[in-house]
Amino acid sequence: MPGDASNTVRRTRRALILVENLSVPFDRRVWQECTTLRDAGWEVHVICPQGRKRDTEAEAVVEGVRIHRYPLRAATGGPAGYLREYGSALWHTARLARKVGPVHVVHACNPPDLLFLPALRLKRLGARFVFDQHDLVPELYLSRFDRGEDLLYRAVCALERLTYRAADVVLATNESYRDVAVRRGGKRPSDVFVVRSAPQTDRFQPVDPEPELKKGQPHLLCYLGVMGPQDGVDYALRALAKLRDEVGRTDWHAVFVGAGDAFDAMVELSRELGLADRVEFTGRIPDADLVRYLSTADVCLSPDPRNPLNDVSTMNKVLEYMAMGRPIVSFDLREARVSAGEAALYADANDESQFAALVAELLDDPEKRSRMGKIGQERVTGELSWSNSQRSLLAAYSAACRGSVPAAGDGPSAQGGAGSIE
């Protein structure tokens, strides 16, 4: 374990994880990877942006993981804002990577698909490159900016190809992403490993419901997650207006937990739809408060619309709802069905009226809600648990380091190929 004298000798392998879009350890997936590698004997360094309210220190050692953070102003507006953000992030990442020094593995988590640039320098010094593909950036571009396959789209496709070409091993968050890495990225199937995101079950432990959170109504609806242009909070709000106007249901209060680029616009939209008196926006809140809301919620909302990105992406909020034993209403997305199975009801793609009707169906059926919640909990503690992804992560590092440095783990935890967790 970290700090144990018996591990001091073993921890000669050094991994550097590069992250741009979230701070660490706030980025739950990256933090789970960090602690898995640490426990397998790696000395783990992370370069990431500083957070606004947490993860604010420039340097920190957290549970044995060394974190190097840089100031970063998040993009606003269109693509030009992202170019400014990414340019600043690349400069800081390269600067801090020189400070960290040589490593055995450089592990870059996208977006953006630009982190292969500092990774290439470390590769020239002997490091192996693990590409951790959190998002399909070409699909993200199409879904977020609605500009079609223009010059910038072709540019992000080219950057993705260069990243795949530079990578020794690719980590995919699900089988859809793995297929893209093989088909579009030209990677050998044996070099692509599915490492699914998984909720921290110790963080998501239900507590007794608190009826006062329902603001005097019989039912509480809950949304948890990022509020960006592609996350569907606007779809959820319009569906709630239809729940009131078309279905005739006013026996609910809704809470939206989280923040993001679209937060202010979503608050304004709720006012325009006449929902301000029954929809509450909390922003980001402490874990204890989050658990209180989810433990009280009758139905949880996953309103991500079908688009090129969402259809093939695994939504963290769906897994977190399942960990808390909550029934879910979602649009019918390919990977949403893979994750939630019978723990969710699925409205036709982007059909807000049907979404509202399914919410009403669950509000009327407490036994069905309970049954769906139990199915979800069983899935996240079984086939979707982080322990399965840990094995795949260590197998990926073994494959990346084969023939160069000793790889993490021994025995079955370091065996298997891309499909080992399915």
Side-chain angles (χ1 to χ4, degrees):
M1 298 302 293
D4 192 329
S6 64
N7 261 349
T8 303
V9 176
R10 291 181 59 214
R11 190 168 295 154
T12 58
R13 299 160 296 181
R14 305 180 84 222
L16 173 60
I17 300 180
L18 310 179
V19 191
E20 191 279 339
N21 65 332
L22 287 176
S23 64
V24 175
F26 179 71
D27 189 316
R28 175 177 50 76
R29 172 185 170 85
V30 172
W31 185 243
Q32 287 174 313
E33 291 173 332
C34 289
T35 55
T36 295
L37 293 167
R38 175 205 65 195
D39 291 347
W42 287 82
E43 177 186 318
V44 181
H45 292 256
V46 180
I47 295 175
C48 66
Q50 292 172 301
R52 290 186 178 180
K53 296 183 179 179
R54 57 179 294 177
D55 303 338
T56 56
E57 306 89 345
E59 299 280 340
V61 178
V62 182
E63 299 179 25
V65 176
R66 297 182 178 274
I67 306 173
H68 314 264
R69 304 189 184 107
Y70 55 85
L72 184 66
R73 182 178 177 182
T76 56
Y82 286 89
L83 291 175
R84 289 191 295 271
E85 174 190 331
Y86 294 158
S88 174
L90 279 177
W91 185 85
H92 284 293
T93 298
R95 171 180 63 84
L96 291 170
R98 286 192 293 270
K99 179 179 177 181
V100 171
V103 295
H104 296 102
V105 170
V106 56
H107 175 154
C109 308
N110 83 330
D113 286 342
L114 290 167
L115 294 176
F116 76 94
L117 293 170
L120 283 176
R121 175 183 172 273
L122 294 168
K123 281 198 73 171
R124 287 194 293 269
L125 297 174
R128 298 302 179 93
F129 177 27
V130 172
F131 173 39
D132 193 348
Q133 192 163 27
H134 291 192
D135 281 311
L136 299 176
V137 175
E139 283 80 358
L140 175 61
Y141 180 84
L142 291 175
S143 301
R144 183 155 190 155
F145 296 115
D146 194 27
R147 295 164 60 101
E149 297 184 3
D150 61 0
L151 180 61
L152 277 175
Y153 171 79
R154 293 192 292 274
V156 297
C157 289
L159 291 172
E160 183 188 67
R161 287 195 299 271
L162 290 170
T163 302
Y164 280 135
R165 188 178 304 166
D168 297 294
V169 159
V170 174
L171 307 183
T173 58
N174 57 41
E175 288 291 344
S176 294
Y177 277 36
R178 179 178 182 269
D179 178 66
V180 170
V182 173
R183 174 178 46 81
R184 191 164 79 197
K187 304 305 292 184
R188 295 184 304 174
S190 59
D191 290 333
V192 185
F193 294 77
V194 176
V195 178
R196 294 185 178 277
S197 296
Q200 293 173 286
T201 53
D202 58 342
R203 177 188 177 203
F204 291 95
Q205 290 292 325
V207 298
D208 290 337
E210 299 182 26
E212 60 269 24
L213 296 178
K214 300 182 179 184
K215 304 295 186 182
Q217 298 294 340
H219 301 296
L220 180 67
L221 312 177
C222 189
Y223 171 91
L224 162 65
V226 177
M227 298 186 190
Q230 75 275 14
D231 294 304
V233 176
D234 53 335
Y235 283 80
L237 291 171
R238 289 191 293 267
L240 293 182
K242 293 178 185 294
L243 179 64
R244 177 196 60 196
D245 300 335
E246 295 180 5
V247 185
R249 298 293 293 262
T250 58
D251 56 344
W252 51 269
H253 178 70
V255 61
F256 286 73
V257 179
D261 297 351
F263 180 87
D264 292 340
M266 294 302 98
V267 173
E268 179 58 31
L269 178 60
S270 72
R271 295 192 187 106
E272 293 172 4
L273 293 171
L275 294 171
D277 61 337
R278 57 180 61 251
V279 172
E280 175 184 358
F281 290 85
T282 68
R284 287 179 180 157
I285 58 177
D287 285 355
D289 291 331
L290 169 62
V291 167
R292 290 170 55 230
Y293 280 113
L294 290 178
S295 296
T296 306
D298 296 287
V299 177
C300 286
L301 311 177
S302 184
D304 308 84
R306 182 186 289 172
N307 59 38
L309 178 69
N310 289 345
D311 195 42
V312 295
S313 296
T314 300
M315 305 301 174
N316 285 334
K317 60 179 165 285
V318 169
L319 301 172
E320 290 162 354
Y321 296 155
M322 292 162 65
M324 291 294 294
R326 301 296 94 187
I328 303 160
V329 175
S330 169
F331 288 121
D332 194 358
L333 308 179
R334 185 193 318 175
E335 285 294 333
R337 282 190 177 272
V338 170
S339 295
E342 295 180 4
L345 298 182
Y346 303 94
D348 291 342
N350 308 347
D351 186 331
E352 296 159 358
S353 293
Q354 191 176 28
F355 195 100
L358 292 178
V359 171
E361 178 182 329
L362 286 179
L363 293 182
D364 287 334
D365 196 338
E367 291 184 5
K368 188 171 188 176
R369 297 200 304 266
S370 176
R371 184 169 64 253
M372 291 170 63
K374 289 176 181 175
I375 290 172
Q377 284 183 317
E378 289 171 358
R379 288 178 64 78
V380 297
T381 57
E383 61 187 294
L384 300 179
S385 70
W386 177 246
S387 61
N388 290 325
S389 287
Q390 283 179 312
R391 290 192 287 271
S392 195
L393 173 64
L394 296 180
Y397 265 61
S398 294
C401 295
R402 192 170 295 129
S404 57
V405 298
D410 298 303
S413 66
Q415 304 300 316
S420 61
I421 71 163
E422 291 304 299

